[in-house]
């Protein structure tokens, strides 16, 4: 991977005052860890130039043993969050995995020596210590070897986090002290991490590879069509209202897939989407999702019911006509309404009020357009963003309805381990605010092999051939970049 340095490295050096503050907080964190026999957090947040490319900085600085994380939505006032290293990892599995990691994050927050957010009125969202990562689709998802480095629930507190939003940017250095740690050694380790940072530009995809990439379905396309047909039979018998079925396609390259180049291309092509890269020493999970699972800001929560898909056209008149057909499609409106009703019912028990738009709107991305209904809620209790994500996932947009009947059928009909596909990727802070997107239009990169996933909502009127064609359209979000 070749990065281009564009500025000197000074933006990442701590001032004498910032270093002294970090050292003081590290001493306090070590003391708290020893008194309470539990990890404690020390962090300092400083301004950095907003023109820096946070993701490129992190991808350039990562070492072979590092975890890293990039999460962007360029069209949302240039939002970008990137993290490097692991100060502490929170992992869990099983049905209670969301609550378990939320409780552990809250517990660490009780022993946190950090900046007061009120002292920096211009700081962007996600400034300060943040936990980043995601969750598998199923409680124990990702059992197959290709997912081995991503637990069913995995949130990491990066040693270094950079965030940019609305013309403001911040860098946060985080230390987690344990009972045997020495404060000065923790600060020195943090400074070594900062010394590895330098401004950079994102690498580019090779436009003309020497050898072509071989693309093949993990299972024959006919297998997917047969699964759709069996699902339609169950729906027509009254057993289900809807079920989402996915398929996997693999891209075998002559050289290793470059996650930085793929992420750079995704954010250029899909600037309205959540573009992410969750990286470990052995893999990178990348994607560009149009679907917000949940965003919490204090007592306010927001989400989107997204379901129903059609293609795009280079001709504006044809493109608009396709959107109008989607709005008028009984099949797609039914699929979309199922998702919206389920989300509203899920949020109502923890909310003062929940409101949804009366009618869906069209959301257009590069290669497809969807039906979407924005949904907002005023929370009755401060439910953490992570736990809200756990309540909502999986929505009928990626699971099915009724949930208790659909979910056991999905692996039986699909015949694949979804891992983090259709799970959640995002971040949460010490105030338990944050945001997570649904992990769609994504690929798992492992060396020379990329595993791509796409799913379709199956309802009473679904046609197997049409659902296969829809899955191909969704795969086209990433496949051209990888092949």
């Amino acid at each position: 991977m070749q990065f281009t340095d564009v500025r000197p490295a000074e933006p990442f050096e701590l001032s004498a005052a910032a270093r002294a503050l970090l050292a003081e907080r590290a001493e306090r964190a070590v003391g708290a860890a020893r008194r309470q026999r539990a990890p404690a957090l020390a962090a300092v947040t400083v301004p950095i130039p907003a023109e820096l490319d946070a993701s490129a900085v992190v991808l350039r600085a990562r070492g072979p043993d590092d975890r890293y994380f990039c999460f962007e939505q360029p069209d949302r006032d240039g939002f970008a969050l990137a993290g490097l290293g692991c100060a502490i990892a929170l992992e869990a599995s099983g049905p209670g995995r969301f609550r378990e990691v939320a409780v552990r994050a809250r517990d660490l927050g009780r022993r946190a020596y950090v900046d007061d957010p009120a002292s920096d009125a211009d700081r962007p969202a996600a400034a300060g210590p943040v936990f980043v990562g995601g969750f598998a689709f199923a409680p124990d998802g990702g059992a197959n070897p290709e997912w081995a480095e991503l637990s069913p629930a995995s949130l990491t507190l990066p040693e270094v986090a950079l965030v940019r939003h609305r013309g403001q940017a911040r860098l946060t250095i985080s230390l987690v002290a344990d009972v045997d740690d020495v404060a000065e050694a923790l600060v020195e380790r943090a400074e070594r991490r900062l010394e590895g940072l330098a401004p950079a530009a994102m690498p580019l995809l090779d436009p003309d590879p020497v050898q072509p990439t071989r693309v093949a379905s993990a299972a024959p396309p006919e297998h997917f069509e047969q699964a759709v047909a069996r699902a339609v039979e169950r729906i027509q018998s009254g057993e289900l209202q809807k079920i989402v079925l996915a398929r996997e396609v693999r891209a075998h390259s002559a050289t290793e897939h470059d996650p930085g180049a793929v992420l750079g291309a995704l954010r250029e092509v899909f600037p309205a989407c959540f573009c992410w890269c969750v990286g470990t020493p052995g893999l990178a999970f990348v994607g560009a999702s149009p679907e917000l699972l949940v965003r919490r800001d204090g007592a306010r929560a927001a989400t989107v019911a997204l379901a129903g898909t059609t293609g795009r056209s280079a001709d504006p008149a044809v493109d608009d006509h396709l959107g109008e057909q989607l709005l008028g499609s009984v099949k797609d409106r039914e699929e979309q309404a199922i998702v919206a009703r389920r989300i509203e019912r899920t949020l109502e028990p923890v909310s003062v009020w929940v409101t949804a738009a009366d009618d869906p709107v069209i959301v257009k991305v590069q290669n497809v357009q969807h039906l979407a209904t924005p949904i907002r809620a005023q929370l009755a209790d401060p439910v953490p963003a992570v736990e809200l994500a756990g309540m909502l996932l999986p929505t009928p947009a990626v699971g099915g309805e009724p949930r208790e009947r659909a979910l056991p059928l999905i692996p039986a009909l699909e015949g694949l381990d979804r891992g983090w596909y259709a799970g959640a990727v995002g971040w949460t802070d010490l105030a338990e605010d944050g945001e997570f997107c649904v992990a769609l239009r994504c690929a798992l990169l492992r060396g020379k092999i990329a595993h791509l996933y796409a799913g379709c909502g199956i309802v009473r009127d679904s046609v197997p051939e049409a659902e296969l064609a829809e899955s191909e359209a969704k795969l086209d979000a990433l496949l051209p970049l990888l092949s």
Side-chain angles (χ1 to χ4, degrees):
M1 180 186 303
Q2 296 295 318
F3 285 87
T4 303
D5 291 340
V6 294
R7 289 173 60 103
E10 285 81 359
F12 305 108
E13 294 177 2
L14 290 180
S15 67
R19 190 192 189 283
L21 184 58
L22 183 61
E24 175 197 336
R25 290 175 177 171
E27 289 280 5
R28 297 173 68 188
V30 168
R34 290 172 180 169
R35 288 192 305 272
Q36 301 184 40
R37 313 297 296 179
L41 168 63
V44 165
T45 299
V46 296
I48 55 174
E51 65 268 21
L52 290 167
D53 189 331
S55 294
V57 169
V58 161
L59 288 163
R60 179 190 183 279
R62 67 185 175 98
D65 298 324
D66 280 330
R67 285 180 173 262
Y68 56 98
F69 177 88
C70 305
F71 189 78
E72 301 195 23
Q73 194 177 17
D75 276 359
R76 184 159 57 95
D77 298 310
F79 180 83
L81 170 65
L84 179 64
C86 177
I88 192 169
L90 311 179
E91 297 183 339
S93 62
R97 66 197 189 282
F98 289 89
R99 176 168 175 76
E100 183 176 339
V101 295
V103 168
R104 291 175 62 193
R106 183 185 309 130
D107 183 58
L108 181 63
R110 294 192 180 104
R111 296 179 300 279
Y113 302 91
V114 301
D115 298 323
D116 179 1
S119 66
D120 183 2
D122 294 327
R123 64 190 272 153
V130 289
F131 295 92
V132 300
F135 301 85
F137 171 79
D140 296 299
N144 282 6
E146 61 262 27
W147 293 101
E149 293 185 25
L150 291 176
S151 298
S154 178
L155 292 181
T156 297
L157 178 68
E159 295 171 295
V160 174
L162 298 88
V163 63
R164 181 193 68 234
H165 193 210
R166 294 175 179 161
Q168 295 288 324
R170 300 291 186 272
L171 177 148
T172 298
I173 186 78
S174 297
L175 316 172
V176 173
D178 218 328
V179 293
D180 297 324
D181 284 323
V182 176
E184 186 62 26
L186 290 173
V187 175
E188 289 175 357
R189 188 169 72 197
E191 291 191 309
R192 287 195 298 272
R193 176 63 84 180
L194 291 175
E195 288 170 359
L197 302 182
M202 200 73 93
L204 301 177
L205 288 170
D206 183 355
D208 188 22
V210 175
Q211 293 180 265
T213 298
R214 180 172 60 87
V215 178
S217 293
E222 295 79 10
H223 171 86
F224 181 74
E225 292 180 325
Q226 291 165 5
V228 172
R230 292 196 296 272
V232 169
E233 290 174 1
R234 291 176 179 267
I235 293 169
Q236 292 178 346
S237 72
E239 183 178 347
L240 302 166
Q241 289 179 271
K242 174 186 176 178
I243 189 169
V244 178
L245 298 179
R247 55 188 289 249
E248 176 189 350
V249 168
R250 297 172 185 170
H252 300 260
S253 174
T255 58
E256 291 196 359
H257 293 285
D258 183 344
V262 174
L263 177 62
L266 287 174
R267 69 184 190 180
E268 291 291 330
V269 177
F270 300 100
C273 291
F274 296 95
C275 301
W276 79 85
C277 176
V278 182
T280 73
L283 61 82
F285 183 51
V286 299
S289 174
E291 185 169 356
L292 171 69
L293 177 62
V294 68
R295 178 181 296 121
R296 196 198 93 157
D297 182 7
R300 299 186 298 273
T303 182
V304 175
L306 194 78
T309 305
T310 192
R312 299 292 310 274
S313 172
D315 184 326
V318 175
D319 195 56
D320 289 343
H321 179 65
L322 290 171
E324 291 168 3
Q325 285 184 317
L326 184 61
L327 279 170
S329 165
V330 175
K331 178 260 185 190
D332 289 293
R333 291 290 289 261
E334 176 192 0
E335 179 185 347
Q336 212 277 334
I338 290 170
V339 177
R341 287 194 298 267
R342 162 61 74 172
I343 291 174
E344 290 182 82
R345 289 198 304 269
T346 301
L347 290 176
E348 282 171 353
V350 297
S351 302
V352 177
W353 50 259
V354 181
T355 182
D358 293 334
D359 293 299
V361 296
I362 293 292
V363 171
K364 297 176 184 280
V365 295
Q366 178 69 14
N367 61 323
V368 291
Q369 43 192 323
H370 303 284
L371 292 177
T373 300
I375 299 172
R376 297 181 295 115
Q378 179 78 17
L379 299 173
D381 299 305
V383 183
V386 168
E387 292 191 35
L388 289 172
M391 292 169 58
L392 292 168
L393 191 74
T395 72
V398 293
E401 187 74 6
R403 178 188 293 196
E404 63 276 5
R405 294 181 184 174
L407 295 186
L409 279 174
I410 288 173
L413 291 171
E414 288 179 345
L416 61 87
D417 182 354
R418 287 188 176 189
W420 280 29
Y421 164 72
V425 172
W427 61 272
T428 183
D429 61 17
L430 296 184
E432 300 186 310
D433 289 335
E435 65 181 348
F436 291 86
C437 71
V438 182
L440 304 174
R441 317 293 194 273
C442 53
L444 178 68
L445 310 182
R446 291 179 56 88
K448 298 179 181 179
I449 301 176
H451 305 257
L452 292 83
Y453 304 88
C456 301
I458 311 305
V459 293
R460 176 181 300 273
D461 297 328
S462 292
V463 177
E465 295 80 4
E467 300 299 339
L468 179 64
E470 181 179 321
S471 75
E472 295 285 352
K474 291 175 177 177
L475 287 167
D476 275 345
L478 268 79
L479 198 54
L481 305 181
L482 295 165
S483 60

